[in-house]
Amino acid sequence: KDKDKDKDKDKDKGEYGLCRALQDVFAGLSGHHEPSETTSDDVEVVDVEVLREALMNVAVKTGSKLSELSTAGDMADAIDAMSIFLLSLRHCMGGNVVDELFTLRMREAYTCSRCGPNNPKSPTVTRDQDVYTYRVNTLFLKREAQRSEAQRSNKGFDVILKNAAAMLCDVVTCKQKSCSGSQLPCHRTLRGGAPGVFVLELIQDSLRERSDPKEISAILKIIHPRIDLNEVFRPDARLEAANAANAAAGTGAGGAAE
């Protein structure tokens, strides 16, 4: 019995304890638990201190550098923390469940907006990738938000996020001589359904060891608590027109050859 109690204590401190703490935080965010406090702006806040302690316990157990976990408000160790979350979930739930919940199956398509719709010889370059996080640079995110505000375009956060994240796509140029190697725009769509859990990865370009609380506050004001993935991964109309034109041209060529 004493051994069983010791095992239960180990579970509370290890990966299982982290998974339970994570479940409690999600329950609070979903409104199933009472918020820990309410700010002056009537924003309900869910306490994450128990989750922070559980994360540190697993970090100590696994020998991660997160054993010296940063204090609240620091984003420098976010990627390492995410790795521990995923490893713990795999330990408790199995790899297949984690893959089904988190995998974002993206397709990046590059088509020249100048010659694509009118030139069947201008191919569309597509690249597929399966990732757990949707990456965006905070500098690009702030720039897109400021541009939207300056133009008074009233773009939703979904469109701002889409435009900012596209700046991290690979550089692909048009092979047609008439375009002089111009860089092709990147359009992302989903291959299949949306993941059960959408994880936004914020990349911060900074040489400082600690994050600036003011910068974090500015970014959090931009981010909306709800994201419409249909907008983030909406196919580009010009790209669809180019694909349709290329398909029609290919059909016509095949008919003529026959």
Side-chain angles (χ1 to χ4, degrees):
K1 290 183 179 179
D2 292 337
K3 290 184 178 180
D4 292 338
K5 289 181 179 179
D6 291 338
K7 288 182 179 179
D8 291 338
K9 289 181 179 179
D10 290 339
K11 284 188 175 182
D12 289 337
K13 292 183 178 180
E15 289 85 352
Y16 287 94
L18 177 57
C19 289
R20 278 195 288 270
L22 189 60
Q23 287 175 335
D24 289 342
V25 169
F26 274 107
L29 293 173
S30 302
H32 298 301
H33 287 177
E34 290 294 326
S36 57
E37 61 177 302
T38 302
T39 67
S40 58
D41 297 327
D42 292 330
V43 176
E44 296 179 346
V45 179
V46 176
D47 187 16
V48 296
E49 195 56 38
V50 174
L51 178 62
R52 182 181 297 278
E53 293 178 2
L55 180 62
M56 185 169 59
N57 288 335
V58 177
V60 172
K61 176 182 176 183
T62 58
S64 168
K65 67 178 182 179
L66 273 182
S67 57
E68 300 179 1
L69 195 64
S70 301
T71 57
D74 195 352
M75 297 173 62
D77 296 331
I79 298 300
D80 300 304
M82 186 64 190
S83 297
I84 292 180
F85 280 134
L86 292 175
L87 288 174
S88 298
L89 290 172
R90 283 182 178 276
H91 180 83
C92 301
M93 304 169 63
N96 291 336
V97 175
V98 173
D99 289 340
E100 291 176 4
L101 280 176
F102 288 89
T103 301
L104 191 65
R105 296 176 173 84
M106 292 194 301
R107 170 162 294 166
E108 294 180 349
Y110 303 81
T111 296
C112 184
S113 58
R114 290 164 53 182
C115 69
N118 303 315
N119 189 347
K121 294 182 180 180
S122 177
T124 296
V125 179
T126 59
R127 296 176 180 176
D128 296 343
Q129 56 176 319
D130 295 344
V131 295
Y132 283 149
T133 63
Y134 189 69
R135 305 172 72 223
V136 62
N137 189 297
T138 56
L139 178 63
F140 298 152
L141 192 63
K142 287 190 289 186
R143 184 186 301 169
E144 283 297 316
Q146 291 169 355
R147 182 180 300 171
S148 175
E149 184 177 356
Q151 296 175 348
R152 297 183 179 180
S153 57
N154 294 324
K155 293 179 181 177
F157 173 68
D158 317 293
V159 177
I160 292 174
L161 175 62
K162 175 181 179 179
N163 294 340
M167 297 180 188
L168 291 178
C169 289
D170 294 334
V171 176
V172 179
T173 57
C174 183
K175 302 302 181 183
Q176 296 297 316
K177 293 181 179 179
S178 59
C179 286
S180 302
S182 60
Q183 184 175 340
L184 304 183
C186 172
H187 304 287
R188 286 171 166 167
T189 55
L190 287 181
R191 300 167 7 251
V197 180
F198 177 75
V199 181
L200 180 60
E201 177 183 341
L202 301 176
I203 302 173
Q204 186 175 13
D205 293 332
S206 177
L207 298 177
R208 294 190 302 270
E209 293 185 359
R210 302 195 50 84
S211 305
D212 185 349
K214 292 182 179 180
E215 286 187 17
I216 296 175
S217 178
I219 291 297
L220 292 179
K221 287 180 180 179
I222 296 174
I223 297 175
H224 196 274
R226 295 184 180 275
I227 299 176
D228 186 354
L229 294 185
N230 291 321
E231 288 292 336
V232 176
F233 296 101
R234 180 183 295 277
D236 184 76
R238 291 178 299 179
L239 178 60
E240 291 185 321
N243 291 337
N246 290 343
T251 303
E258 294 175 355

